Amino acid sequence: GQQLNQSPQSMFIQEGEDVSMNCTSSSIFNTWLWYKQDPGEGPVLLIALYKAGELTSNGRLTAQFGITRKDSFLNISASIPSDVGIYFCAGGIQGAQKLVFGQGTRLTINP
Amino acid sequence: SQTIHQWPATLVQPVGSPLSLECTVEGTSNPNLYWYRQAAGRGLQLLFYSVGIGQISSEVPQNLSASRPQDRQFILSSKKLLLSDSGFYLCAWSPTGTAGYTFGSGTRLTVV
């Protein structure tokens, strides 16, 4: 089945640094989504992308839908302590009944 | 607006006891519903999904079962819990299979 390779698996950064993470696949996806999960909570949708090449921002977050439809990246600028958590990418395929999720990127920020 | 409710928030159950976790969605009709399990600090494992009343698809053979007795109700069950059933269980809904999911707040299950 389809798989998403999300990297890096974990990141340890200083407050104020920029963050970049990505997801790649050998399969083509029609939608890409990025979620953030705080400890002990359910994941929350950050950004949804529906068109190849689309670049979308949500505050300090920016995500892009790769032109090949096989990848996506998420950037976080000027990280702050509340950015700590696990970030998941997810891809959707037309006609499928479920999303495919990456394994997550755990972000830790040193103040 | 749509909301998703999942309960209980935490549960401690002995090995061999039954389990019933409930998830309900409000403000929408005929949603896709999903049950995920997450080991500590790990990724999301899809357990079951449902595209309609009485329709259940199982992703991973295991000690658990799911049912959808009503349009906006999704139940995760077990007749006899195993230690390996411990984890963080998440319910989610979506209007379609490719649209973004909305997750519930999760149930932390500890089997002792």
Side-chain angles (χ1 to χ4, degrees):
Chain A
Q2 296 84 14
Q3 286 187 321
L4 293 182
N5 299 310
Q6 186 170 352
S7 64
Q9 291 188 350
S10 60
M11 302 183 72
F12 298 85
I13 64 170
Q14 297 295 121
E15 183 177 351
E17 289 185 12
D18 296 342
V19 173
S20 184
M21 60 190 78
N22 68 83
C23 270
T24 61
S25 175
S26 59
S27 302
I28 291 175
F29 289 91
N30 299 105
T31 57
W32 283 94
L33 307 113
W34 285 92
Y35 287 84
K36 183 198 176 195
Q37 184 180 27
D38 290 327
E41 300 289 333
V44 173
L45 183 64
L46 298 174
I47 294 178
L49 303 159
Y50 299 104
K51 186 176 179 181
E54 180 180 357
L55 184 71
T56 298
S57 294
N58 178 4
R60 293 178 295 105
L61 278 60
T62 302
Q64 184 160 28
F65 190 143
I67 196 69
T68 66
R69 298 190 174 210
K70 295 182 179 181
D71 61 347
S72 177
F73 72 75
L74 174 70
N75 288 341
I76 305 173
S77 62
S79 59
I80 59 178
S82 62
D83 291 333
V84 166
I86 303 177
Y87 291 79
F88 292 99
C89 64
I93 299 174
Q94 189 69 32
Q97 296 297 338
K98 56 187 178 181
L99 298 174
V100 179
F101 279 85
Q103 288 303 299
T105 294
R106 178 180 292 277
L107 178 62
T108 302
I109 298 176
N110 299 315
Chain B
S1 62
Q2 301 89 5
T3 57
I4 180 168
H5 302 280
Q6 188 180 343
W7 68 91
T10 59
L11 192 59
V12 179
Q13 292 284 100
V15 169
S17 64
L19 172 73
S20 180
L21 301 181
E22 188 165 344
C23 174
T24 60
V25 180
E26 296 178 355
T28 187
S29 60
N30 197 31
N32 283 13
L33 296 171
Y34 306 86
W35 277 112
Y36 283 84
R37 179 168 59 199
Q38 185 178 32
R42 305 299 296 275
L44 303 168
Q45 180 187 33
L46 180 62
L47 302 176
F48 302 94
Y49 70 94
S50 171
V51 300
I53 296 175
Q55 301 179 58
I56 307 296
S57 295
S58 175
E59 289 292 295
V60 181
Q62 59 211 312
N63 186 41
L64 302 169
S65 63
S67 62
R68 185 171 177 173
Q70 301 181 45
D71 182 43
R72 294 184 292 270
Q73 183 184 31
F74 204 23
I75 297 172
L76 183 69
S77 304
S78 174
K79 293 182 178 179
K80 290 185 178 181
L81 284 169
L82 306 172
L83 287 174
S84 57
D85 291 323
S86 294
F88 191 51
Y89 289 82
L90 288 157
C91 180
W93 81 272
S94 173
T96 72
T98 57
Y101 294 177
T102 299
F103 285 87
S105 54
T107 295
R108 172 84 51 199
L109 172 66
T110 304
V111 182
V112 296

